[in-house]
Amino acid sequence: MGVAENAEPQEGRGAPRGLRPHIALVGRRNAGKSALLNALAGQPVSIVSETPGTTTDPVAKTMELSPLGPVVLLDTAGIDDEGALGERRVERTKNALRGVDAALLVTDGRWDAPERELAGLLAERQIPFVVVRNKADLEHAELPEAETIHGALRVSALKGEGVGAVVAALARILPEAALRQPPLLAGLMPAGGLAALVVPLDSGAPKGRLIQPQVQTIRDCLDGRASCLVTTPGEYAAMLERLAGPPDLVICDSQVVRETVAATPHHVPLTTFSILMARLKGDLAALAAGAAALEGLRPGDTVVIQEGCSHHPQADDIGRIKLPRLLRALAGGDVNVVMAAGAAFFAYPAQARAVIHCGGCVITRRQMLERMAEARARRLPMTNYGVALSLGQGVLERALSPFPEALAAYRAAREAQ
Ligand SMILES: Nc1nc2c(ncn2[C@@H]2O[C@H](COP(=O)(O)OP(=O)(O)OP(=O)(O)O)[C@@H](O)[C@H]2O)c(=O)[nH]1
Ligand SMILES: [Mg+2]
């Protein structure tokens, strides 16, 4: 495809490129494609200049785009490039569009032949796209009279304004298949490796079977030609002793994470089923960062506890009993808990300080991401049950240790508050 790699070091265990949705930035020269890419990345990745034709070859940049998660953004040369070389660049841009999951059609306010050509091309290739009307800060200045571009998002890449709405729009248009990362254990288990699964059989466990995340983990191990041992918290230490070496990964139920950590050698990667699900369903880095907000809670604060389904509450229900108890302990006093359940849209109350979402087993990744985008638009930190439970047991950093990006996001959010 002739795409230049940026000099960014490969992110250790980050999502492999093949699992990341690819998003192209297209438009005429000087529309601000590179400036928009930089605004999305939050760092100067592409060269921005007033000279038309600055970007010549497509440039791919892997990044975490919260709340979308890991993506590849593709900067391209202007579609209106001219001359013999220019035509070859245009060809490259068109080729780079092959296989992208979505596109941002960037315009400086004009909607003429180049924009129409691109819109036609994208439609023809069935690539969902958003029109980004950039340079909104220049509305009344040098720009030609802006045509009304239906549904265009107004953005100033230069000032970083409206960039969040672009990400939210991408979350809406990206096809489900592009966003889904099917293997729960992606990047975590070596082939031929061994995972230890710690599964409590308390009153909440269904009779005669295991719950979905546990089954999915076992299946993923087998698909990856790895093995797994499944045990209860009570048998776990004895099982470890019988092994000739430690397992490659330990995965436990969130509710027994503290005791599992205590029984596990320090160097063994360890996480919870909920954190694996959070990575699969949403953006783990953003959910980890959201957990930091719980540590800053004060008595009287409002926290939304949101569930994807409306299940029948159990005796020691996590959402209704355990998490409110945890929030009181963190805040050092009473916390105002607002429960939201079901698939319908829920308007977060203005006074809310944080949202704790369930694992979202009944909602799609896309729905989960839309909820995250909604919270983000309101500058409301969102975390999830599994992350919050590990935080409450004082072992969140350990449970995030297999996911360096998420661990870094949590630490950064903690420092920022
Ligand atoms: N006022 C204003 N200027 C912008 C904005 N975004 C980009 N620019 C300016 O527009 C010019 C072109 O920006 P680029 O990001 O290089 O545009 P591009 O679409 O990548 O252009 P090529 O790579 O040449 O095709 C630069 O001088 C930027 O500073 C914006 O939001 N507001
Ligand atoms: Mg450029």
Side-chain angles (χ1 to χ4, degrees):
M1 182 160 91
V3 175
E5 291 280 337
N6 54 27
E8 183 79 356
Q10 281 298 310
E11 310 101 297
R13 294 170 194 252
R17 226 160 235 258
L19 288 180
R20 295 170 182 256
H22 286 47
I23 300 150
L25 290 95
V26 291
R28 72 169 73 203
R29 284 171 296 168
N30 249 358
K33 303 177 293 296
S34 299
L36 178 60
L37 181 122
N38 292 349
L40 288 164
Q43 48 176 289
V45 177
S46 267
I47 300 173
V48 170
S49 110
E50 60 201 35
T51 312
T54 298
T55 308
T56 52
D57 285 314
V59 178
K61 163 76 181 161
T62 59
M63 66 178 83
E64 290 286 326
L65 215 51
S66 188
L68 267 180
V71 299
V72 176
L73 288 189
L74 213 57
D75 196 4
T76 63
I79 198 74
D80 60 336
D81 212 340
E82 299 157 338
L85 261 182
E87 278 173 24
R88 283 165 63 184
R89 288 186 200 125
V90 170
E91 241 356 88
R92 284 208 160 180
T93 294
K94 288 182 178 171
N95 277 334
L97 280 180
R98 292 179 198 285
V100 303
D101 300 296
L104 298 172
L105 202 176
V106 185
T107 152
D108 55 7
R110 286 175 282 184
W111 193 263
D112 293 321
E115 289 77 20
R116 289 202 190 94
E117 186 195 347
L118 275 171
L121 190 65
L122 292 167
E124 185 189 312
R125 297 202 182 155
Q126 302 191 324
I127 299 168
F129 67 98
V130 184
V131 177
V132 177
R133 189 263 195 252
N134 189 32
K135 309 195 185 184
D137 55 296
L138 292 181
E139 184 73 16
H140 304 295
E142 306 96 77
L143 270 183
E145 190 63 33
E147 284 184 40
T148 312
I149 305 167
H150 180 68
L153 296 173
R154 297 171 57 81
V155 167
S156 168
L158 203 65
K159 298 190 167 179
E161 287 167 0
V163 174
V166 173
V167 182
L170 284 172
R172 278 196 299 279
I173 66 164
L174 271 166
E176 177 70 23
L179 291 170
R180 205 187 307 129
Q181 298 184 7
L184 204 43
L185 293 174
L188 295 175
M189 287 292 294
L194 176 68
L197 276 46
V198 186
V199 175
L201 298 178
D202 57 18
S203 59
K207 296 238 178 314
R209 58 186 183 87
L210 298 174
I211 61 174
Q212 174 62 25
Q214 296 159 356
V215 174
Q216 207 173 324
T217 305
I218 294 170
R219 174 62 202 253
D220 270 10
C221 266
L222 302 179
D223 279 338
R225 299 295 174 264
S227 303
C228 61
L229 285 166
V230 187
T231 187
T232 62
E235 309 306 316
Y236 176 58
M239 185 203 78
L240 280 185
E241 277 188 16
R242 293 180 59 170
L243 296 178
D248 297 291
L249 179 67
V250 176
I251 306 153
C252 66
D253 187 281
S254 295
Q255 305 188 54
V256 297
V257 63
R258 190 189 357 220
E259 56 192 279
T260 308
V261 165
T264 307
H266 289 297
H267 63 279
V268 178
L270 180 153
T271 194
T272 66
F273 292 108
S274 308
I275 289 176
L276 287 180
M277 287 301 283
R279 182 175 74 140
L280 188 78
K281 281 281 179 176
D283 172 1
L284 180 59
L287 294 167
L294 301 184
E295 293 171 297
L297 285 179
R298 300 211 174 81
D301 280 347
T302 297
V303 176
V304 177
I305 295 185
Q306 189 170 24
E307 297 188 335
C309 64
S310 13
H311 69 268
H312 184 69
Q314 296 166 347
D316 203 12
D317 198 69
I318 295 178
R320 287 159 186 81
I321 314 282
K322 285 190 178 153
L323 285 176
R325 194 190 296 151
L326 166 63
L327 292 174
R328 280 194 296 276
L330 285 168
D334 260 349
V335 171
N336 178 26
V337 171
V338 176
M339 282 299 305
F345 174 81
F346 175 77
Y348 298 121
Q351 77 276 19
R353 292 285 313 276
V355 182
I356 310 180
H357 203 287
C358 73
C361 56
V362 301
I363 61 176
T364 65
R365 174 167 166 79
R366 178 130 163 206
Q367 285 170 316
M368 186 69 208
L369 289 172
E370 287 201 13
R371 288 173 178 207
M372 292 188 72
E374 173 68 18
R376 192 177 166 78
R378 291 165 179 269
R379 309 177 84 82
L380 191 54
M382 184 188 272
T383 188
N384 93 336
Y385 279 20
V387 174
L389 288 172
S390 284
L391 177 82
Q393 297 188 50
V395 292
L396 180 57
E397 295 220 353
R398 180 74 196 279
L400 289 177
S401 61
F403 314 102
E405 282 173 3
L407 181 58
Y410 166 65
R411 287 182 173 156
R414 227 183 150 189
E415 258 172 39
Q417 51 177 27

